[in-house]
Amino acid sequence: MRDFAYARAADADAAVTLLADRPDARLIAGGTDLLGLLKEDIEHPGLLVDISRTALTGVSAGPDGLVLGALTRLSDAAAHPLVRAAFPALATALEKSASPQLRNLATLGGNVLQRTRCPYFRAETDLPCNKRTPGSGCAALTGHQRAAGLFGTSDACVATHPSDLAVALAALDATVLVRGARGERALGIEALYAPADSPPHVEHRLEHAEMITGIRVPATPLAALSRYLKVRERASYEFALVSAAVAVTVDRGTVSDVRIALGGVAPRPWRLRGAEQALRGGPLTPESVADALATELDGARTLPGNAFKVPLVRRTVVRALTGESP
Ligand SMILES: Cc1cc2nc3c(=O)[nH]c(=O)nc-3n(C[C@H](O)[C@H](O)[C@H](O)COP(=O)(O)OP(=O)(O)OC[C@H]3O[C@@H](n4cnc5c(N)ncnc54)[C@H](O)[C@@H]3O)c2cc1C
Ligand code: SF4
């Protein structure tokens, strides 16, 4: 690990000022992702701005729904009665993330900005990776592809975003609250991530001197019915191969409203708006869900090592929405 300077920010304004003064500064919250990247020399900031002691913690009910402080620990958010009662997909996504020890340290803001688990980005530092070394190539295109994405990928990078929380937030139309040198703004969770035509090393739309201060989730009847289903290689302490956050209301036998977001398949949480639209106004059965997914899945960009994810997405979404196996 290289040497770096360290400063503790008392609040969000102090953090933003420290960032604005130093182009080589980075925020550190729980450190559960960033410290690993420092040790592997994948990131090498000159200054770490520690925001872990700021008061941006807690869960509350505001006029627009749930408000979660960006520095809230995953374990605290998952255990909160408000989250458990009215946003079950959120609670499950958080509970199924990482391990109890990590959840006690990791924060919500850090979780949605964690970096990909692509093995070539993380460990194989002698192999090409456009995300780690722009312009070097992509070892995953001819290598291990089990973690590779189906949507929003390119010839330059096929990595996926590993956050479970972000998938649940996408299904629930959450907004990220951001503070920067020029004031405050709010971004839809999907808009937090870089547009599809961005180079692989550009992953989000925050400016250098901006930080996430909170997350707002609309409280709706749909949110209270939401569910999160995570499929992984082992039952705990593992990232998703595929996950689905869903919510659906059925009125007199027809779907009145529905949300579907996927994890493990794209460089950001991936909403299936076409399938949602196809389901509205029709019955909710394993067959109708599979039919609604067909067009979306036809657009999947598969590689030999990840084509299994297409049927896995279908099965995961059918089960999450109907409780039945296709
Ligand atoms: C072994 C292991 C297993 C894991 N399994 C899962 C899993 O199954 N599911 C899952 O979702 N995650 C998993 N994780 C990831 C873990 O949840 C994240 O590392 C954690 O949530 C990151 O939060 P943090 O507070 O530690 O972030 P940090 O490591 O402190 O920061 C991460 C990034 O976010 C930036 N950042 C942090 N806070 C802010 C803010 N408020 N505003 C702007 N930028 C900010 C930092 O600059 C840094 O770039 C796993 C991690 C490990 C090590
Ligand atoms: S998929 Fe992306 S992160 Fe993985 S090796 Fe290719 S460029 Fe790097």
Side-chain angles (χ1 to χ4, degrees):
M1 197 192 296
R2 300 188 200 187
D3 289 348
F4 54 82
Y6 171 88
R8 184 178 289 158
D11 54 29
D13 288 337
V16 166
T17 304
L18 285 161
L19 285 176
D21 286 348
R22 288 275 299 257
D24 63 341
R26 290 294 301 275
L27 296 176
I28 184 161
T32 61
D33 192 35
L34 187 57
L35 277 178
L37 297 170
L38 297 186
K39 287 180 190 164
E40 297 291 341
D41 204 26
I42 296 166
E43 301 213 17
H44 18 78
L47 168 68
L48 282 187
V49 177
D50 183 351
I51 52 174
S52 64
R53 311 276 176 97
T54 61
L56 295 166
T57 55
V59 176
S60 58
D64 299 323
L66 187 73
V67 181
L68 304 148
L71 273 295
T72 308
R73 310 288 171 182
L74 304 195
S75 50
D76 291 336
H80 199 281
L82 209 56
V83 177
R84 301 192 77 76
F87 306 88
L90 267 190
T92 309
L94 289 164
E95 275 173 346
K96 293 195 177 293
S97 299
S99 64
Q101 294 90 338
L102 284 159
R103 292 195 294 274
N104 284 338
L105 198 55
T107 66
L108 304 180
N111 185 278
V112 295
L113 288 177
Q114 65 178 294
R115 304 196 70 189
T116 185
R117 306 307 293 194
C118 173
Y120 302 103
F121 172 75
R122 289 275 165 175
E124 305 284 347
T125 44
D126 52 340
L127 291 174
C129 172
N130 286 322
K131 203 179 265 301
R132 203 183 52 243
T133 310
S136 61
C138 173
L141 288 176
T142 52
H144 293 287
Q145 297 163 347
R146 218 167 157 68
L150 301 174
F151 305 106
T153 58
S154 70
D155 290 341
C157 181
V158 293
T160 56
H161 197 272
S163 166
D164 290 295
L165 169 66
V167 182
L169 293 175
L172 299 176
D173 296 309
T175 302
V176 174
L177 310 174
V178 174
R179 174 134 3 134
R182 290 197 293 261
E184 298 190 343
R185 63 183 178 128
L187 283 172
I189 180 73
E190 291 169 273
L192 172 67
Y193 299 99
D197 55 357
S198 305
H201 66 284
V202 178
E203 295 171 353
H204 59 73
R205 296 192 211 215
L206 294 188
E207 292 171 12
H208 170 69
E210 281 190 323
M211 68 173 285
I212 300 175
T213 54
I215 299 171
R216 201 165 49 212
V217 194
T220 62
L222 203 58
L225 298 169
S226 61
R227 281 173 239 156
Y228 187 72
L229 183 59
K230 178 172 179 177
V231 180
R232 45 188 165 171
E233 305 267 14
R234 56 184 178 200
S236 72
Y237 199 24
E238 183 60 286
F239 292 91
L241 275 174
V242 166
S243 69
V246 303
V248 62
T249 47
V250 179
D251 187 15
R252 276 167 283 179
T254 61
V255 173
S256 48
D257 207 358
V258 59
R259 301 282 186 281
I260 309 167
L262 299 178
V265 296
R268 67 193 74 90
W270 198 258
R271 264 289 282 275
L272 295 181
R273 288 191 171 78
E276 292 173 6
Q277 189 54 36
L279 277 170
R280 282 189 195 103
L284 184 69
T285 64
E287 294 72 28
S288 69
V289 176
D291 285 350
L293 291 169
T295 310
E296 303 261 19
L297 291 175
D298 281 349
R301 194 171 179 268
T302 57
L303 297 162
N306 76 347
F308 73 94
K309 284 190 176 182
V310 171
L312 190 57
V313 165
R314 187 181 309 112
R315 286 168 179 274
T316 304
V317 176
V318 167
R319 211 171 104 206
L321 277 173
T322 69
E324 294 181 42
S325 300

